[in-house]
Amino acid sequence: MEGRRLPLVMAPPKGRGKPPRHLADLDLAGRQDAAKEAGLPGFRAKQLSVHYFERLVDDPEKMTDLPAGQRQELVDTFLPDLMTPISQQEADKGTTRKTLWKLFDGALVESVLMRYTDRATVCISSQAGCGMACPFCATGQGGLERNMSTAEIVHQVVVAARQMASGEIPGGPGRLSNVVFMGMGEPMANYKALMGAVRRLTSPAPEGLGLSARHVTVSTVGLVPRIKQLTEEGIPVTLALSLHAPDDELRNELVPINTRFSVAETVDAAWNYARVTKRRVSIEYAMMRGINDQGWRADMLADVLNSYGDWGWVHVNLIPLNPTKGATKWQPSTIEDEREFVRRLEAKGISTTVRDTRGREIDAACGQLAAQLDS
C-alpha cells in the first residue's frame, strides 16, 4: 500500500486543558453532591437535569421554576458552554445536517443528524481527530488531537434531540431515536468518557435522555480488550466492528490496529459480545475498488463469520466508500462488484445490506469527517 503511513496513537497528547465540568459529566447523585458543594440545595441539580435532558432547554429565561436571581448562576455552574456551532451544511432537502463544532480549546469536531421516515439518527464524534491511522479515512489521516469529555459527547446528542423536538428539521416536530458513535475518533480509545456518555444517553430522564440501549451503536476498529470490557458492562448497545478485510495481510494495511489484534482475535471478541448480550453484531465493511471487494474475499468473510455458527449473531453492512479529497487510490467499488459481493455473502447465509449513504455532497458520509483538515 502506497502513501504516507501514520503511527497508531492509543493515548492523546498530554498537557491539554480539560473542558469545564458539566451536568452531563455526572450521574444524578454526583450532580446533587456538586450542588451542595456549591452551597445550593441538592434538588436544584434535579431541576436542571429536567431542563437539560427532558425539556431539552438550556436558556435560563425558560427555567421558570428556578429563582430568577439564581438562574444564570445555576446555568453557568452546571451548563457551561462546551461547544459552539461554527457552521452547518444541509443535504437531502434539509433532512441531513452536518454541524461543525468548536470546542473550548479550539479543537474541531463534527456531528451529523439524519432524519428518515421512520427514525432520526445522530452520528457523533468521541475524539477530536483519530489515532487509528486507517489510510482510507479522512479523520484517521488527520491524527489524534484529544479525547472528548463525556459531556462534550452527550451534548451533540442533546442538541440533535432539541432540533428534532422543535421541528427545526423538515418533517415537523419529532423524536431523536438512534445514536451512532461513528463520527470522528475511535470510541473505544476513549472508553471512560464513552461509557459515561452511553449511561447518560440510556438512563431514564431526568438522569439522562432515556434512549433505548438497543438504539445506541458503538463502532470500533477492534480494540479487543475494550470489546471484552464492554461485554461485561451489562448495557446491551449494538456493537459495530469495522472489519474492512477478512484476512490479516490486507487488514494490517487497511486497519493498522490489526497488527496488535488479529482478525481471528477481533471477530472472536465480537462473537463473544453477541453470545453474552444476545445482541446481533454489525460488521462494517467499506467497499474499495480492487482492494477488498474481490468475490473470493466475500467467500472468505462468510467463512470466517460462519465458523461461529449460523445462529444469526452477525449482520454485514457494506459501505460504499466515499473518496476523500485528493485520494485517487481509494475509490468505491463498481455496482457490479458490490452486487456480486452481496450475492456471495447471502449464498453462504450471511445477512447483508448495503448502507444508504447520506450526506455525500457535504462530506458527511462515513470516513469523511475531517474538520481539522479543512479549518
Side-chain angles (χ1 to χ4, degrees):
M1 299 279 164
E2 61 199 34
R4 180 175 62 126
R5 299 295 295 178
L6 293 175
L8 267 174
V9 179
M10 303 299 287
K14 288 189 166 65
R16 296 188 69 98
K18 290 188 174 181
R21 186 178 66 174
H22 186 280
L23 175 146
D25 285 312
L26 307 167
D27 61 16
L28 193 55
R31 294 168 211 164
Q32 291 168 334
D33 290 343
K36 290 168 186 170
E37 285 169 20
L40 300 163
F43 68 85
R44 294 287 182 222
K46 186 170 183 181
Q47 289 176 305
L48 282 162
S49 299
V50 169
H51 287 299
Y52 185 72
F53 282 115
E54 205 165 335
R55 296 187 57 215
L56 305 171
V57 163
D58 59 0
D59 178 358
E61 294 307 310
K62 294 180 179 176
M63 301 180 185
T64 52
D65 58 340
L66 300 175
Q70 278 189 309
R71 284 177 204 163
Q72 192 61 55
E73 178 196 355
L74 285 163
V75 167
D76 291 345
T77 301
F78 286 97
L79 301 173
D81 285 336
L82 294 174
M83 48 214 301
T84 307
I86 58 174
S87 75
Q88 288 187 332
Q89 292 174 274
E90 293 183 350
D92 306 308
K93 299 181 179 175
T95 59
T96 298
R97 177 182 288 188
K98 180 175 80 166
T99 303
L100 173 62
W101 300 97
K102 186 175 185 178
L103 306 184
F104 84 101
D105 57 355
L108 300 174
V109 299
E110 290 174 310
S111 60
V112 184
L113 175 59
M114 297 159 284
R115 184 172 194 165
Y116 301 87
T117 53
D118 60 339
R119 68 192 187 284
T121 298
V122 65
C123 176
I124 60 172
S125 297
S126 55
Q127 295 178 307
C130 183
M132 295 297 103
C134 299
F136 60 90
C137 175
T139 313
Q141 287 303 291
L144 176 62
E145 192 168 352
R146 74 165 171 89
N147 283 335
M148 295 175 69
S149 69
T150 287
E152 286 173 328
I153 296 169
V154 169
H155 193 65
Q156 299 167 83
V157 183
V158 170
V159 170
R162 186 182 299 152
Q163 290 170 340
M164 284 297 300
S166 68
E168 207 174 308
I169 306 299
R175 184 174 175 273
L176 183 74
S177 54
N178 296 65
V179 177
V180 294
F181 283 82
M182 293 182 178
M184 297 170 71
E186 162 55 54
M188 296 280 199
N190 187 15
Y191 191 82
K192 184 177 178 183
L194 163 71
M195 291 315 301
V198 166
R199 288 189 171 92
R200 293 305 97 76
L201 298 180
T202 58
S203 294
E207 182 156 5
L209 270 177
L211 296 173
S212 164
R214 293 169 179 271
H215 292 166
V216 175
T217 298
V218 176
S219 177
T220 180
V221 294
L223 275 64
V224 168
R226 296 305 189 204
I227 296 174
K228 291 178 177 177
Q229 201 171 343
L230 183 67
T231 304
E232 304 304 320
E233 293 282 358
I235 305 176
V237 297
T238 297
L239 176 67
L241 172 61
S242 296
L243 197 62
H244 306 313
D247 54 297
D248 286 324
E249 183 180 6
L250 179 57
R251 194 168 193 264
N252 286 347
E253 300 287 346
L254 296 180
V255 188
I257 195 70
N258 200 74
T259 59
R260 301 195 187 185
F261 309 109
S262 68
V263 168
E265 291 174 276
T266 306
V267 174
D268 193 71
W271 169 80
N272 191 54
Y273 184 85
R275 182 186 66 81
V276 171
T277 64
K278 304 296 187 284
R279 299 287 295 132
R280 187 169 71 164
V281 168
S282 177
I283 299 291
E284 310 289 299
Y285 198 101
M287 296 286 285
M288 306 174 211
R289 188 185 307 172
I291 293 174
N292 70 345
D293 62 351
Q294 303 89 345
W296 64 266
R297 276 207 165 89
D299 293 339
M300 180 185 282
L301 175 60
D303 290 344
V304 167
L305 301 178
N306 278 332
S307 68
Y308 291 91
D310 60 356
W311 50 280
W313 74 274
V314 72
H315 174 88
V316 171
N317 191 15
L318 299 178
I319 305 165
L321 184 73
N322 298 287
T324 56
K325 289 185 178 69
T328 54
K329 177 184 179 61
W330 312 104
Q331 295 298 320
S333 301
T334 66
I335 193 69
E336 293 79 16
D337 287 343
E338 185 182 277
R339 285 173 179 159
E340 176 64 5
F341 208 90
V342 171
R343 188 192 69 76
R344 290 198 183 212
L345 288 173
E346 290 182 338
K348 286 179 174 273
I350 301 293
S351 170
T352 306
T353 52
V354 177
R355 178 181 291 172
D356 168 31
T357 303
R358 284 186 127 195
R360 189 184 292 239
E361 65 269 40
I362 57 171
D363 291 342
C366 187
Q368 288 186 316
L369 299 184
Q372 74 274 42
L373 298 182
D374 301 325
S375 57

